[in-house]
């Protein structure tokens, strides 16, 4: 019954939110474009996915997740698989196989309860470190792949550092208005610029009617595809499932948070249904959630609107959109990715103030002795240890560009603190016991 009651609650919240703040919700829906567009376009150009099928399937996934979870949960590319597929120009069949391998493994972890068990073992500072590292990784990625390669204005008048500066200026002038439709303005400006660039080009074509023609293909579970799927697993479980589930209470405390099991099953279902038709392997992500929240999304209505938009584009225009999307200004995308990364990294500030593990049960006298929660006392030493664990987790992610390395480093640091604390306590007890057994008078 709780599932259906939550559906009603989410539906009411979605409808009321989109009615009260339509521009903010639409703007928030576009907040994750900086992650989606570059990878999706490159994979489609290389023939590793079908653009039309990806738009349709990811749009349907957006609609379903927006209705079921009631939050702006993103549907974004599996980055490790996308990077490997781009580097090796993987075929569609192998790309689909890689996504299905990850999906099966995540499904097993979710249904068996192992994912929930792992979540209970992982300390909050490590989870915060994963989120902090993912946020800074987005900022670094935006600078290196989107902003740094920009050409001078005289070589590329419609996509350069001047446009980047203007976007940044608009951002900082509106930063006090948290629901200002910044992403919507950037998207409209970017599409207008892209249309001009395509119109004046002799090598590119404008979008045209290209009705979606779905087809079925059998994934090719080659050794390379299986390896790509296994390599994606740590990133999916840590950033797309565990970190997402932990981030929702920070951003949307008034809404029920999805469990890691539910998010894991969602990731598995998306890829096990789309892998037979050429759809891009997708997952959820804490970075995308933070981005959509930062640009105004506060309910599932935002991603439902995005999903409808994707489905219409995929069904009507399909592959004819490639040239238009390829010319979308990287200067505008880069600023959006930087802001998304900073929003995700910002959740680290609650590590020692308001984190879930810093609350304890208490008896509230004003409410007839009912149980409540209050922040527990945290020593300066414990605060420093938690901060170090988060930073070491983040450092591992940034240094090796691998979530698994950061996770292992953070866990080792956390349990090293516990081990040394245990040794010191045992040594103190031993010395205390020895002093009590010593004779009072020596002869």
């Amino acid at each position: 019954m709780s599932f259906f009651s939550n559906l009603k609650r989410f539906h009411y919240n979605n409808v009321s939110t989109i009615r009260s703040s339509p521009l903010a919700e639409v703007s928030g829906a576009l907040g994750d474009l900086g992650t989606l567009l570059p990878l999706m376009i490159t994979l489609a150009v290389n023939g590793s996915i079908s653009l039309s099928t990806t738009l349709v399937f990811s749009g349907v996934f957006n609609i379903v997740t927006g209705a079921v979870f009631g939050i702006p949960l993103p549907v974004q590319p599996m980055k490790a698989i996308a990077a490997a597929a781009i580097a090796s120009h993987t075929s569609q069949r192998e790309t689909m196989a890689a996504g299905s391998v990850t999906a099966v493994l995540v499904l097993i972890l979710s249904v068996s309860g192992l994912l929930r068990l792992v979540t209970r073992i992982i300390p909050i500072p490590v989870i915060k470190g994963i989120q902090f590292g993912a946020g800074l990784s987005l900022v670094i990625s935006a600078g290196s792949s989107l902003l740094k390669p920009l050409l001078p204005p005289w070589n590329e008048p419609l996509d350069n550092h001047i446009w980047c500066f203007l976007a940044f200026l608009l951002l900082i002038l509106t930063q006090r208005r948290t629901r200002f439709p910044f992403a919507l303005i950037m998207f409209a400006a970017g599409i207008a610029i892209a249309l001009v660039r395509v119109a004046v080009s002799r090598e590119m074509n404008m979008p045209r009617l290209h009705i979606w023609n779905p087809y079925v293909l059998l994934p090719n579970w080659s050794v390379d595809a299986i390896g790509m799927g296994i390599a994606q697993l740590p990133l999916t479980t840590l950033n797309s499932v565990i970190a997402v589930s932990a981030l929702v209470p920070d951003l949307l405390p008034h809404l029920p948070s999805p469990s890691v099991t539910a998010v894991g099953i969602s990731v598995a279902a998306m890829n096990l249904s789309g892998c037979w038709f050429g759809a891009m392997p997708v997952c959820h992500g804490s970075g995308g959630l933070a981005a959509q929240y930062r640009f105004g999304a506060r309910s599932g209505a935002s991603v439902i609107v995005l999903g409808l938009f994707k489905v219409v584009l995929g069904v009507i225009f399909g592959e004819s959109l490639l040239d238009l999307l390829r010319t979308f200004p990287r200067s505008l995308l880069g600023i959006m990715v930087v802001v998304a990364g900073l929003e995700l990294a910002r959740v680290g500030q609650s590590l020692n103030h308001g984190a879930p593990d810093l609350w304890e049960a208490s008896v509230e006298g004003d409410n007839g002795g009912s149980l409540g929660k209050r922040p527990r006392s945290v020593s300066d030493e414990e605060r420093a240890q938690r901060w170090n664990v988060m930073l070491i987790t983040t450092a591992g992610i940034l240094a090796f560009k691998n979530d698994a390395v950061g996770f292992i480093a953070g866990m080792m640091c956390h349990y090293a603190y516990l081990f040394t604390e245990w040794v010191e306590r045992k040594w103190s007890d031993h010395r205390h016991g020895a002093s009590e057994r010593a004779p009072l008078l020596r002869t």
Side-chain angles (χ1 to χ4, degrees):
M1 286 297 294
S2 60
F3 173 76
F4 293 103
S5 62
N6 279 341
L7 280 182
K8 291 182 179 179
R9 179 178 177 182
F10 293 147
H11 174 71
Y12 174 79
N13 184 65
N14 289 344
V15 173
S16 61
T17 305
I18 193 69
R19 284 179 175 175
S20 62
S21 307
L23 285 180
E25 287 295 298
V26 174
S27 177
L30 303 171
D32 196 34
L33 289 182
T35 301
L36 173 67
L37 289 184
L39 293 177
M40 182 179 70
I41 293 169
T42 307
L43 288 171
V45 170
N46 290 352
S48 297
I49 63 169
S50 165
L51 178 62
S52 57
T53 301
T54 295
L55 287 172
V56 172
F57 270 78
S58 64
V60 172
F61 299 152
N62 278 132
I63 295 169
V64 173
T65 55
V68 172
F69 294 111
I71 58 175
L73 195 61
V75 175
Q76 55 186 206
M78 286 188 172
K79 297 181 183 63
I81 290 178
I86 291 170
S88 57
H89 286 72
T90 306
S91 66
Q92 278 194 28
R93 294 179 60 203
E94 285 187 309
T95 305
M96 301 307 105
S100 68
V101 169
T102 304
V104 169
L105 294 175
V106 171
L107 182 63
I108 293 172
L109 292 173
S110 302
V111 174
S112 66
L114 289 175
L115 201 55
R116 188 170 60 251
L117 178 63
V118 169
T119 306
R120 292 175 182 172
I121 298 173
I122 302 176
I124 292 296
V126 174
I127 294 178
K128 293 287 186 183
I130 293 170
Q131 295 170 334
F132 194 54
L136 294 183
S137 295
L138 283 175
V139 175
I140 294 171
S141 174
S144 60
S145 62
L146 293 175
L147 301 179
K148 187 177 179 180
L150 292 176
L151 298 174
W154 49 87
N155 288 339
E156 185 52 78
L158 295 179
D159 190 15
N160 52 62
H161 289 100
I162 295 177
W163 289 98
C164 178
F165 174 75
L166 292 175
F168 177 72
L169 189 62
L170 177 63
L171 175 70
I172 60 176
L173 290 176
T174 59
Q175 60 185 332
R176 290 180 62 86
R177 298 184 62 187
T178 56
R179 304 198 71 186
F180 180 80
F182 178 82
L184 181 59
I185 293 174
M186 291 298 100
F187 179 74
I191 289 295
I193 293 172
L195 286 171
V196 172
R197 297 174 73 183
V198 172
V200 300
S201 172
R202 297 180 180 179
E203 301 175 354
M204 294 183 287
N205 299 311
M206 295 289 284
R208 61 190 182 281
L209 184 64
H210 190 284
I211 301 300
W212 179 44
N213 184 25
Y215 55 86
V216 178
L217 56 80
L218 181 66
N220 178 19
W221 288 283
S222 64
V223 174
D224 289 341
I226 294 174
M228 289 164 57
I230 294 174
Q232 175 68 40
L233 184 63
L235 183 60
T236 297
T237 53
L238 295 174
N239 185 48
S240 301
V241 179
I242 295 174
V244 164
S245 183
L247 181 61
V248 174
D250 289 336
L251 301 182
L252 302 163
H254 62 287
L255 292 175
S257 302
S259 66
V260 290
T261 301
V263 178
I265 291 175
S266 174
V267 171
M270 289 191 298
N271 291 283
L272 291 178
S273 58
C275 71
W276 310 100
F277 304 95
M280 176 178 63
V282 292
C283 60
H284 304 304
S286 56
L289 176 57
Q292 294 179 162
Y293 177 87
R294 169 60 182 81
F295 291 118
R298 297 293 185 273
S299 73
S302 61
V303 289
I304 291 176
V305 171
L306 177 63
L308 292 171
F309 184 57
K310 284 182 180 178
V311 170
V312 170
L313 289 179
V315 170
I316 297 178
F317 298 106
E319 269 68 23
S320 71
L321 291 168
L322 263 180
D323 287 337
L324 179 67
L325 296 178
R326 194 186 302 169
T327 55
F328 195 97
R330 291 176 176 264
S331 53
L332 305 185
L333 281 179
I335 293 298
M336 292 174 66
V337 176
V338 167
V339 176
L342 293 177
E343 182 68 26
L344 179 56
R346 195 166 64 89
V347 303
Q349 70 182 356
S350 65
L351 174 67
N352 289 323
H353 303 280
D357 61 337
L358 297 181
W359 294 83
E360 61 184 4
S362 65
V363 177
E364 299 177 350
D366 295 339
N367 295 326
S370 61
L371 287 177
K373 285 188 175 183
R374 66 180 181 186
R376 66 177 176 86
S377 177
V378 184
S379 66
D380 290 339
E381 181 182 7
E382 183 181 355
R383 292 179 192 275
Q385 290 178 0
R386 291 166 63 87
W387 182 252
N388 286 339
V389 171
M390 186 185 81
L391 287 185
I392 287 178
T393 304
T394 301
I397 293 173
L398 297 181
F400 293 89
K401 297 182 179 179
N402 190 311
D403 282 29
V405 174
F407 168 74
I408 294 171
M411 293 293 286
M412 290 177 64
C413 179
H414 173 76
Y415 285 104
Y417 276 128
L418 294 183
F419 177 73
T420 53
E421 182 182 347
W422 177 80
V423 170
E424 290 173 359
R425 188 169 60 250
K426 287 293 183 180
W427 177 248
S428 177
D429 292 344
H430 173 73
R431 292 183 60 186
H432 182 68
S435 64
E436 289 182 343
R437 291 193 298 271
L440 296 177
L441 297 175
R442 297 180 184 273
T443 58

